[in-house]
Amino acid sequence: MPQAPGTLTRQQSHTQTLQPERYLVIMHNDDYTTMEFVIELLQQVFHKNAAEATELMLRIHQQGEAFCGCYPFELAETKAATVHQKARQAGFPLRCSLRRA
């Protein structure tokens, strides 16, 4: 219906904030990386406390892999790259991968 001249109308605006797509950072078991080193990385890179880091390390060791955190893609990629870099510097073949959450 047309509005009379000079009539103000009120429009509702709906804004939706899109959340960035999230990715799981998954650490994989291998036969060479020490359990102590894995715990150290979980604490340093993923900010896990000692109990959480130990629990995750055991899950990685027993089940072959465990997810260490869920992050936006760029942050997940950076964390995985940091793990790879620190592992190579220490002479370990530890591997991380990303999976869409």
Side-chain angles (χ1 to χ4, degrees):
M1 184 152 114
Q3 297 289 329
T7 303
L8 297 175
T9 60
R10 193 173 183 186
Q11 293 182 339
Q12 287 187 329
S13 174
H14 295 282
T15 58
Q16 184 177 10
T17 303
L18 296 176
Q19 295 297 321
E21 199 166 17
R22 311 279 288 183
Y23 286 79
L24 298 172
V25 180
I26 301 161
M27 195 174 286
H28 302 274
N29 188 45
D30 63 67
D31 294 332
Y32 303 99
T33 306
T34 65
M35 293 179 178
E36 293 79 12
F37 184 75
V38 171
I39 290 171
E40 184 179 315
L41 284 179
L42 288 167
Q43 291 176 313
Q44 289 178 0
V45 178
F46 298 97
H47 308 289
K48 304 296 183 187
N49 64 40
E52 290 173 314
T54 301
E55 182 181 329
L56 277 172
M57 177 277 299
L58 288 172
R59 190 174 305 142
I60 293 164
H61 180 69
Q62 294 167 350
Q63 297 176 7
E65 67 181 29
F67 76 90
C68 305
C70 186
Y71 308 96
F73 179 75
E74 291 80 12
L75 185 54
E77 189 176 48
T78 299
K79 288 192 179 281
T82 300
V83 167
H84 291 149
Q85 177 188 19
K86 288 180 178 287
R88 298 311 167 265
Q89 287 173 346
F92 294 120
L94 185 62
R95 209 170 50 85
C96 280
S97 63
L98 304 181
R99 186 178 302 153
R100 187 175 289 145

